[in-house]
Structure formats: C-alpha cells, structure tokens
Amino acid sequence: IISENDEELTNNDMVYKLSAPSRIEDNSWIVPGKVAWEWWNAWNIKDVDFESGINNETYKHYIDFASEYGIEYVILDEGWAVNKKADLFDVIPEIDIIDLVEYADSRGVGIVLWAGHVAIDRDMEEICKYYSELGIRGFKVDFIDRDDQKAVNFYYKMAETAAKYHLIIDFHGAYKPTGLNRTYPNVLNFEGVYGLENVKWNQNLDLVTYETTIPFIRMTAGPMDYTQGAMRNANKDNYRAVWSEPMSQGTRCRQLAMYAIYFAPFSMLCDSPSLYEREAECTKFIAEFPTVWDETVALESQFGDYVAMAREQSAERQAFFYPPYSRIVGLTLRYRDVEVLHRAAVELTEALRTRFSRRVLGPTIPPVDRVRGEHIVEIMLKIESGASFARARKILREVIDTVMHK
C-alpha cells in the first residue's frame, strides 16, 4: 500500500477486495452490533441484592442493562464452562444456559459464548449444532495465538461450521484479518491487536500514542476488536493497572471517539453496567452509534498524533430498520406435525404484519430444522431502538394469544 498522506491509510479496504467472495448465500441472519462484556470489568456491579460473579443473576443484570440501552448482545466470557477441561458441554452449576437464553430472548438481547479454540475444535460440529439449537447467537473464539497452516485451516473450518448453524464469530487471540470476513461475513471481528485488556495488568504503557497509530497500521487489514469503552479514565500521572477496576489512559471522550474511528462490526462495551448507568449520556451515545457503515471518508490525520473520519449510513438502512436502528427479536415455533407447524407460522406472520408491518421477516426454516422429533420454523421481528420494548412485547403477546385461540 502506497499513500501520499497518512489519512489514506485509515480507509483502505484492499485486503477485503482481494479476498474470496462470500460463500454465504443468505446473510440476512447476520446481525452486527454492540455487546455488553463482563470479563474486562470483572463482573463488578453494584447495588444488587445478590453476589455478583459467574452466575445467572449477574448475567440477567447485564441482559437488563443491554435491553435498556438497545445493545444487541451479552457475552458469557471465560468461566461459564468448567475451567481447564476444554469441554464446552461441561457447564458450571451456577450457569443455566437455557434459562439465560430464554430470559435474553424476552428482553430482545442475543447471547454469545466464549470458547477456547482447543475446546471448540474437539467437537466443532456438535458444539455449534447443540448451542445453535439452544438459541445461542455466536461464539467468541480465543487463544489461537498462531498463524501457521493448521491455525489458518481452523479459522476457515470454524467460520464455515458456524455459518452452517447461523452463528456469528469473533476471533480473539487471533492474528490480523486476511479477508476471511468477506468470504464468511458471519465472522464479524478479530482481535489481533494490543487491546485495552492490557490495562488490567500492565503498568508501563503508552496507549495514548499507540491508539493513534493502530488506525494507520493494524486497521488497514480489517475489523479490529480493541474492546474500548472505559468509564474510568486517567492521565499519565494517575494511571494504575488494576485488575478488578481497570481504567483507560486519556479522556472519556477519547473512548467514545474510538467507536467512530475503530471499525468493529461486533463492538464491546468493556465496562460495568454500574459505571455506564452513572455515565448515562456517554452510554446512550455508544449504544446508538452504528457499528457498520455505507461510506467512510478519511479526513486529515497524522500518524501517532490524531485521527479523523467521517462515516455515513444510508437512509435505506434506517428506513428498513436495520441495526442499530432496531433490535432483533427471534420467534421460534416447534411442533411435531410439520404441516400444522407451517400453517400456524404463516398465520402468525400475517397476524404480526397487521400490527408491525414490514418489521416482520419470515417465516423461514433454520439450518437445524428438527430437534427431538419437533420441526422448527423461525420468524424475525425488528423493533426500533427508540421504541418501547415493553409495549412491543405486550402487542406480540396479544397477537400470539389471538392466533392460538382461533
């Protein structure tokens, strides 16, 4: 890549354009968005009547927070499966995945699971099939930590298998992107960067300089999961590496600006709901800021000093209620008699369209269309981010009750 000016490096999609075209025919199920993340803030929430930690009560609190602000996902990071066994079917007793998925669905939030690459590679097909059937939306796959041929083959196999079961992927412990996100657009993000997690343990950092160099270097390769969003912010003299209550270097507005500058279709909110609720104005800005764009214009920038971009989403995206202008609610219908199921799905869809108009998509048959003898059909409902989710849920219940009692 040759450029006359620094800013030309910040808006370069050469890697993407030189990659193999998409192998996914229907990508309507791929939903980019924000994700409430608990590991960075050490499950550190306040003013609750339960002990915070890796348990359902804590995750329901994160789900409630995500639902309130229109954040698309909540992640269960390392700890939900028994540690050091590399067995993703061995869930700790404090976590009930089915209960969390049902609760999240009722609040318009998707659940994503963390997975070490060794564990998921052991039985990738069965793991993806099983958790897709439970309603999990995707995986954050971690600790690959190399880029030899075996690792590269794993990336492609993981992306392909996940796509088969309609699962999104965020690669962590990963090498820089090489265009896989074009070939398999369900791969929404890659780490491959010295991310904000390092403030939890490294005292000797100069992130203020680093954060204004990576848009010119690392980001030329593709999406970048830097995991920004810190609400504790320090200058050079006050900065301390703290595991349980980490802080960023630089101002809070600097953290907000990263959501505009760093391209991350699957973008973390790294801090605690307690701090986000205290800084509600900042949280509202982050939650409503898009993660994907129709046009980007690089403005005057200086390597290692400052970065400026103008980004735009087309009016069409807003008109058709694509995220972030909407939250996605998935309805799953199951029944043993496939003909009865399909008639009911069509009838329910038509009834929903009388109340929700073009916000209703489907009915569709999922990749896994039969579980334990029951056939499956799915309907998708898009609800504007500014609309009352409680009101939408009430209308949804009324329509379902009407159809059921016909």
Side-chain angles (χ1 to χ4, degrees):
I1 300 173
I2 300 173
S3 66
E4 294 183 355
N5 302 304
D6 289 355
E7 59 264 23
E8 293 173 10
L9 295 172
T10 65
N11 184 26
N12 189 294
D13 56 3
M14 184 181 295
V15 173
Y16 181 89
K17 287 181 176 178
L18 291 175
S19 302
S22 176
R23 297 175 185 172
I24 300 176
E25 291 185 8
D26 175 18
N27 61 8
S28 61
W29 55 272
I30 301 171
V31 180
K34 305 286 184 356
V35 53
W37 183 33
E38 42 22 332
W39 180 88
W40 192 87
N41 55 77
W43 301 265
N44 201 341
I45 53 178
K46 300 179 180 179
D47 300 321
V48 294
D49 58 359
F50 54 84
E51 183 176 352
S52 65
I54 305 175
N55 55 54
N56 272 35
E57 290 84 358
T58 298
Y59 283 109
K60 287 181 179 180
H61 185 83
Y62 279 82
I63 291 166
D64 288 341
F65 161 71
S67 179
E68 179 183 355
Y69 284 95
I71 296 165
E72 289 83 1
Y73 299 102
V74 165
I75 189 168
L76 275 65
D77 211 287
E78 185 177 13
W80 64 271
V82 174
N83 194 26
K84 297 182 179 180
K85 289 188 65 176
D87 183 355
L88 297 181
F89 294 113
D90 193 359
V91 181
I92 64 172
E94 294 83 0
I95 292 293
D96 183 336
I97 296 287
I98 294 175
D99 179 50
L100 283 179
V101 169
E102 290 178 349
Y103 186 78
D105 281 348
S106 74
R107 305 286 286 158
V109 177
I111 296 292
V112 173
L113 299 177
W114 177 94
H117 107 274
V118 172
I120 203 165
D121 198 28
R122 277 185 173 182
D123 198 357
M124 187 184 295
E125 185 83 23
E126 285 303 311
I127 289 168
C128 288
K129 182 176 185 293
Y130 174 74
Y131 283 107
S132 174
E133 290 173 0
L134 292 190
I136 294 299
R137 302 290 183 85
F139 286 100
K140 172 186 173 182
V141 182
D142 206 349
F143 292 130
I144 306 155
D145 294 338
R146 50 194 240 246
D147 61 357
D148 56 26
Q149 190 61 59
K150 186 175 180 180
V152 172
N153 290 343
F154 166 79
Y155 275 74
Y156 275 84
K157 180 184 175 185
M158 183 74 253
E160 181 181 25
T161 307
K164 179 180 177 181
Y165 295 102
H166 286 191
L167 297 167
I168 61 172
I169 295 293
D170 175 25
F171 282 116
H172 259 239
Y175 61 81
K176 65 184 182 299
T178 56
L180 180 64
N181 52 303
R182 182 184 183 191
T183 309
Y184 289 101
N186 59 314
V187 178
L188 292 181
N189 216 347
F190 303 79
E191 189 181 26
V193 68
Y194 195 79
L196 197 64
E197 64 182 31
N198 289 277
V199 299
K200 289 170 69 71
W201 57 76
N202 194 339
Q203 183 64 36
N204 301 310
L205 294 174
D206 178 10
L207 291 183
V208 171
T209 301
Y210 179 73
E211 289 163 352
T212 52
T213 62
I214 50 179
F216 303 90
I217 304 173
R218 160 60 180 84
M219 212 167 70
T220 60
M224 184 177 72
D225 196 6
Y226 188 71
T227 67
Q228 64 272 5
M231 293 292 106
R232 287 190 183 90
N233 316 98
N235 61 27
K236 185 176 182 179
D237 293 334
N238 294 333
Y239 167 74
R240 297 292 182 273
V242 182
W243 178 269
S244 60
E245 296 182 316
M247 65 192 75
S248 73
Q249 295 180 351
T251 66
R252 189 169 302 136
C253 284
R254 181 188 185 89
Q255 292 292 303
L256 302 186
M258 291 176 186
Y259 289 95
I261 299 299
Y262 295 166
F263 178 47
F266 185 76
S267 189
M268 302 282 179
L269 280 78
C270 69
D271 224 324
S272 163
S274 300
L275 294 185
Y276 284 127
E277 287 162 359
R278 188 186 72 185
E279 307 295 342
E281 186 175 21
C282 294
T283 307
K284 189 173 186 292
F285 174 88
I286 295 170
E288 293 179 356
F289 209 80
T291 63
V292 290
W293 310 93
D294 295 294
E295 184 177 4
T296 296
V297 177
L299 305 177
E300 182 180 351
S301 302
Q302 184 69 47
F303 180 87
D305 190 1
Y306 60 92
V307 187
M309 288 185 184
R311 297 192 188 270
E312 182 182 36
Q313 283 197 332
S314 69
E316 184 179 79
R317 181 176 295 274
Q318 187 168 4
F320 288 95
F321 311 113
Y322 289 111
Y325 301 108
S326 68
R327 284 185 282 176
I328 304 297
V329 178
L331 303 178
T332 301
L333 283 64
R334 302 186 181 196
Y335 198 67
R336 292 186 179 276
D337 188 320
V338 66
E339 292 184 4
V340 172
L341 175 65
H342 283 282
R343 285 199 301 270
V346 169
E347 188 174 349
L348 177 58
T349 301
E350 291 175 352
L352 287 171
R353 287 197 176 116
T354 64
R355 303 295 296 274
F356 293 101
S357 187
R358 65 182 187 276
R359 299 170 182 84
V360 182
L361 302 177
T364 60
I365 300 173
V368 181
D369 61 355
R370 191 174 183 179
V371 178
R372 300 185 183 92
E374 291 185 327
H375 297 274
I376 302 173
V377 173
E378 295 179 339
I379 301 170
M380 186 179 294
L381 176 63
K382 296 184 286 188
I383 301 172
E384 293 93 324
S385 295
S388 168
F389 192 77
R391 171 66 176 159
R393 186 167 49 187
K394 181 181 178 182
I395 295 172
L396 182 60
R397 172 52 59 190
E398 291 173 355
V399 173
I400 291 172
D401 287 345
T402 301
V403 172
M404 287 180 62
H405 289 94
K406 273 190 175 182

